[in-house]
């Protein structure tokens, strides 16, 4: 069964929420693809999309270089929904007017909508929406009706039902728009006729069948890190071809406490996978000896990872395919989308393509992270692995300021394990997106019993974020911080001071190095 009969095209005009729109459409169980706005009407027709969404964007429609779409798109008969800049562009290109206002309308705004329109069917007449714009539609094109207004916006939404064209000035994809998902569903189901067929259960069955066919009797190699992406990718391949898949798990010794054993146990015992665990801590630590510069640490670990992986894979003889856990945001961020993305980190698992394989297998190329997690649950991967917070490839090496020694690693692993345990005990692990301990490299004076101490300072870092590009420090209850602090002081040797990091990103980063 092909599970992508229905696909929505999201045309990216460079808006900050473009990926979020795509995720929301997927949450409505409709498959969608994010493509640059330059896609032509011909290409769209050929691909057979059932609907099109124009995203927002940073430009004014009147800018000299303002991005415009192929005008033929409006003649295809495919339903189009314009959001923010996309709405203004639709208005302007079809003969309406867009004006620039003195003040930016930003934040939560009350709109009043016409519930007999398609988009606002079953919606509340008055509701809160999220606005973020300076320009606004002042006159709708011929044939369009105004379907929503706000105090500052004469056209908060408009539609031409005969041509299946819809537009909204606000952002339905943002959580603050109370009924945003309903408006999107009305577009997807009622205008485009989508049937909510995109489900992770079908994705899993379908992908396994396709992988079986593609791989045949060939052999596949996978670098398993224990992170959710590589785990789900490997398991899909394993379900398809069983022992034809070999996974190499390079344990660089910079993982969190007990993590290496957990990964091994899940994949070897629970799933009976062909797993090779390489305990390479000594190799990594000797390469890292005396190195204090963060980028140098990253580089050494990245290079050594590839070397260990190559050494191990050579022992296995010829392998035909390399399986990788690339996910949709990686694909989009590597240049498919329009948004300017600042991305400075690469996973250590990034392997050179010239390692001599017939091809690369990337079963998660079309999925967002939330979908990867759902697929993981469908496959029976334990929740603690599926919901695991992101963990940097270079591991604890970038959470120990300065040089790395086995002793420092032990201190950090123990402190970090206590913090994680208390977060789970207090139910913070699902609401806080990333949390960990840092060995700051600062020693300070303390008293313990009757004696003076001069020992390590551990910093606790916990952030909430949706994309890890920006983040806020988490408002962790004081009693939880107190418990963690007491436990670390009492249970971990050589630590006499705990501090909590209250900096957002920017200006700080999430990691300390
Ligand atoms: P920063 O510290 O830049 O981190 O705010 C943003 C996200 O990226 C992770 N991170 C890394 N991931 N290799 C990785 O695979 C790295 O070198 C690296 N540095 C940071 C970080 O944990 C956070 O989730």
């Amino acid at each position: 069964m092909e599970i992508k009969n229905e696909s929505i095209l999201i045309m990216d005009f460079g808006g900050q929420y473009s990926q979020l729109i795509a995720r929301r459409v997927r949450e409505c169980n409709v498959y969608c693809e994010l493509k640059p706005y330059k896609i032509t009407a011909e290409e769209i027709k050929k691909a057979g999309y059932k609907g099109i969404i124009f995203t927002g964007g940073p430009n004014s429609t009147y800018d000299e270089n303002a991005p415009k779409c192929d005008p033929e798109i409006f003649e295809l008969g495919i339903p189009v929904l314009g959001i923010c800049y996309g709405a203004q562009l639709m208005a302007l290109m079809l003969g309406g007017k867009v004006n620039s206002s003195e003040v930016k309308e930003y934040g939560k705004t009350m709109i009043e909508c016409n519930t007999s329109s398609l988009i606002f069917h079953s919606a509340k007449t008055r509701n809160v929406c999220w606005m973020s714009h300076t320009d606004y539609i002042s006159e709708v094109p011929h044939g369009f009706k105004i379907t929503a207004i706000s105090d500052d916006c004469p056209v908060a939404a408009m539609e031409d039902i005969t041509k299946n064209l819809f537009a909204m000035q606000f952002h339905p994809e943002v959580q603050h728009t109370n009924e945003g998902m309903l408006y999107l569903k009305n577009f997807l189901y009622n205008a485009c006729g989508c049937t909510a067929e995109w489900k992770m259960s079908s994705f899993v069955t379908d992908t396994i069948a396709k992988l079986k066919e593609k791989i045949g009797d060939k052999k596949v190699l996978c670098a398993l890190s224990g992170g959710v992406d590589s785990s789900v990718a490997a398991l899909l391949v394993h379900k398809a071809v069983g022992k034809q898949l070999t996974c190499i798990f390079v344990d660089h010794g910079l993982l969190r406490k007990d993590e290496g054993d957990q990964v091994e146990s899940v994949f070897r015992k629970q799933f009976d996978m062909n797993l090779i665990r390489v305990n390479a801590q000594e190799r990594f630590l000797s390469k890292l000896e005396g190195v204090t510069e963060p980028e140098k640490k990253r580089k050494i670990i990245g290079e050594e990872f590839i070397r260990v992986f190559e050494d191990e894979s050579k022992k296995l003889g010829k392998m035909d395919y390399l399986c990788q856990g690339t996910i949709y945001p990686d694909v989009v961020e590597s240049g498919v989308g329009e948004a300017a993305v600042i991305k400075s980190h690469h996973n250590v698992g990034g392997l050179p393509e010239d390692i001599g394989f017939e091809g690369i297998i990337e079963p998660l190329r079309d999925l967002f992270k939330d979908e990867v997690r759902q697929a993981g649950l469908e496959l029976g991967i334990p929740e603690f692995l599926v919901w695991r917070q992101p963990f940097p490839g270079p591991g604890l090496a970038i959470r120990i300021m300065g040089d790395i020694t086995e002793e420092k690693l032990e201190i950090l692993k123990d402190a970090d394990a206590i913090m994680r345990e208390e977060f789970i005990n207090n139910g913070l692990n699902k609401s806080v997106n990333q949390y960990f301990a840092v060995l700051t490299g600062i020693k300070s004076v303390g008293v313990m019993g009757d004696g003076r101490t001069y020992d390590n300072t551990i910093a606790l870092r916990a952030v909430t974020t949706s994309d890890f590009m920006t983040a806020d420090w988490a408002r962790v209850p004081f009693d939880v911080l107190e418990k963690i602090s007491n436990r670390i002081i009492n249970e971990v040797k050589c630590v006499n001071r705990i501090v909590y990091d209250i900096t957002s990103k920017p200006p700080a980063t999430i990691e300390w190095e």
Side-chain angles (χ1 to χ4, degrees):
M1 181 190 61
E2 173 58 70
I3 49 153
K4 284 189 212 158
N5 292 320
E6 299 174 349
S7 180
I8 295 290
L9 168 68
I10 297 173
M11 282 174 56
D12 190 359
F13 288 92
Q16 56 173 326
Y17 299 127
S18 300
Q19 277 204 32
L20 187 58
I21 298 174
R23 274 169 52 200
R24 294 285 184 248
V25 171
R26 301 273 186 99
E27 280 171 30
C28 297
N29 299 107
V30 175
Y31 181 75
C32 62
E33 290 173 350
L34 188 63
K35 297 268 160 93
Y37 70 89
K38 287 179 183 145
I39 186 168
T40 65
E42 199 53 43
E43 288 166 323
I44 293 174
K45 204 165 140 192
K46 212 164 141 209
Y49 292 110
K50 294 204 77 168
I52 302 168
I53 297 179
F54 292 177
T55 72
N59 297 77
S60 161
T61 43
Y62 291 112
D63 289 349
E64 204 179 317
N65 295 322
K68 297 223 163 38
C69 66
D70 179 348
E72 294 296 314
I73 289 174
F74 299 111
E75 306 302 323
L76 290 172
I78 301 174
V80 183
L81 169 65
I83 295 174
C84 198
Y85 176 84
Q88 295 159 10
L89 185 74
M90 181 188 285
L92 196 69
M93 288 182 73
L94 296 174
K97 284 206 175 115
V98 174
N99 274 3
S100 196
S101 90
E102 297 279 295
V103 281
K104 190 175 162 92
E105 189 183 22
Y106 181 82
K108 290 181 184 174
T109 307
M110 185 63 80
I111 61 153
E112 203 160 304
C113 62
N114 178 352
T115 54
S116 64
S117 67
L118 183 141
I119 294 288
F120 299 107
H121 180 70
S122 306
K124 290 193 182 121
T125 314
R126 284 170 61 76
N127 217 329
V128 171
C129 287
W130 184 260
M131 294 277 191
S132 172
H133 65 110
T134 314
D135 290 2
Y136 63 95
I137 302 169
S138 52
E139 213 173 280
V140 299
H142 181 70
F144 275 78
K145 278 193 185 133
I146 297 173
T147 52
I149 53 166
S150 75
D151 278 353
D152 293 318
C153 204
V155 186
M158 62 174 193
E159 70 187 37
D160 179 346
I161 195 74
T162 57
K163 292 198 172 144
N164 261 326
L165 301 175
F166 310 86
M168 41 184 82
Q169 183 54 65
F170 54 87
H171 290 270
E173 71 279 14
V174 171
Q175 252 173 10
H176 304 295
T177 298
N178 283 347
E179 287 191 307
M181 286 297 271
L182 173 67
Y183 311 153
L184 275 179
K185 282 180 182 167
N186 280 341
F187 173 71
L188 298 169
Y189 306 155
N190 302 340
C192 309
C194 293
T195 57
E197 60 169 11
W198 174 250
K199 300 214 167 72
M200 278 308 105
S201 50
S202 353
F203 169 84
V204 166
T205 337
D206 184 65
T207 305
I208 292 172
K210 278 192 201 146
L211 286 171
K212 217 176 243 175
E213 198 179 320
K214 174 169 182 174
I215 300 167
D217 57 3
K218 303 252 165 100
K219 287 188 188 161
V220 188
L221 185 63
C222 177
L224 191 75
S225 70
V228 61
D229 302 342
S230 70
S231 300
V232 175
L235 206 52
L236 281 167
V237 175
H238 174 71
K239 296 266 178 194
V241 297
K243 297 274 165 116
Q244 284 162 246
L245 167 74
T246 305
C247 291
I248 296 180
F249 167 42
V250 177
D251 183 349
H252 49 28
L254 306 163
L255 297 171
R256 287 163 292 193
K257 193 173 183 173
D258 300 329
E259 199 163 35
D261 296 342
Q262 283 169 355
V263 171
E264 184 175 354
S265 152
V266 168
F267 292 100
R268 190 170 284 157
K269 294 208 185 100
Q270 185 181 337
F271 293 114
D272 191 26
M273 262 161 81
N274 247 343
L275 177 78
I276 298 169
R277 175 175 176 180
V278 192
N279 291 317
Q281 189 184 48
E282 269 178 37
R283 218 170 136 164
F284 280 86
L285 284 190
S286 74
K287 281 265 159 30
L288 287 167
E289 204 179 328
V291 179
T292 54
E293 216 268 304
E295 288 308 309
K296 200 160 174 208
K297 289 185 195 172
R298 280 193 171 84
K299 199 158 174 272
I300 290 173
I301 295 167
E303 281 172 7
E304 195 58 17
F305 181 92
I306 292 169
R307 226 156 275 151
V308 173
F309 187 83
E310 277 174 346
D311 288 353
E312 281 308 311
S313 59
K314 266 184 213 142
K315 294 182 196 159
L316 296 170
K318 183 172 161 42
M319 287 293 192
D320 305 289
Y321 289 107
L322 179 69
C323 166
Q324 289 191 323
T326 318
I327 67 172
Y328 196 53
D330 305 332
V331 177
V332 174
E333 280 163 19
S334 61
V336 183
E338 269 302 310
V341 178
I342 308 148
K343 192 167 188 198
S344 55
H345 310 299
H346 293 280
N347 270 318
V348 171
L351 298 165
E353 285 185 20
D354 61 1
I355 205 168
F357 295 96
E358 193 171 300
I360 307 274
I361 289 179
E362 296 173 314
L364 311 177
R365 254 186 98 81
D366 290 338
L367 300 195
F368 282 105
K369 194 86 177 186
D370 337 352
E371 295 175 312
V372 175
R373 292 210 163 97
Q374 278 175 43
L377 292 174
E378 290 286 338
L379 287 160
I381 298 179
E383 290 223 357
F384 80 87
L385 265 188
V386 166
W387 288 106
R388 176 169 276 185
Q389 49 167 325
F391 186 65
L396 301 182
I398 56 165
R399 292 179 182 170
I400 294 174
M401 307 299 97
D403 69 322
I404 297 150
T405 62
E406 225 176 317
E407 194 202 353
K408 289 183 186 175
L409 269 171
E410 285 311 305
I411 296 173
L412 183 59
K413 279 184 189 178
D414 287 343
D416 184 71
I418 291 172
M419 181 181 184
R420 284 189 291 135
E421 197 181 311
E422 289 303 327
F423 264 55
I424 293 168
N425 289 347
N426 289 282
L428 292 168
N429 53 319
K430 292 236 164 123
S431 56
V432 178
N433 304 96
Q434 200 171 1
Y435 50 95
F436 52 86
V438 175
L439 188 59
T440 61
I442 296 169
K443 288 200 170 188
S444 72
V445 174
V447 278
M448 231 177 246
D450 293 328
R452 178 185 186 276
T453 59
Y454 187 65
D455 254 330
N456 288 296
T457 307
I458 287 277
L460 306 176
R461 180 71 162 144
V463 295
T464 51
T465 171
S466 58
D467 56 8
F468 297 88
M469 306 270 182
T470 60
D472 196 6
W473 58 277
R475 272 44 171 187
V476 177
F478 283 172
D479 52 346
V480 178
L481 289 174
E482 183 185 18
K483 181 92 193 274
I484 296 170
S485 168
N486 285 343
R487 280 196 57 195
I488 294 178
I489 296 288
N490 289 325
E491 296 172 37
V492 184
K493 56 174 186 168
C494 306
V495 177
N496 69 352
R497 193 177 293 268
I498 314 289
V499 296
Y500 186 56
D501 183 346
I502 51 164
T503 343
S504 60
K505 171 184 177 178
T509 51
I510 296 173
E511 302 289 347
W512 274 41
E513 279 197 338

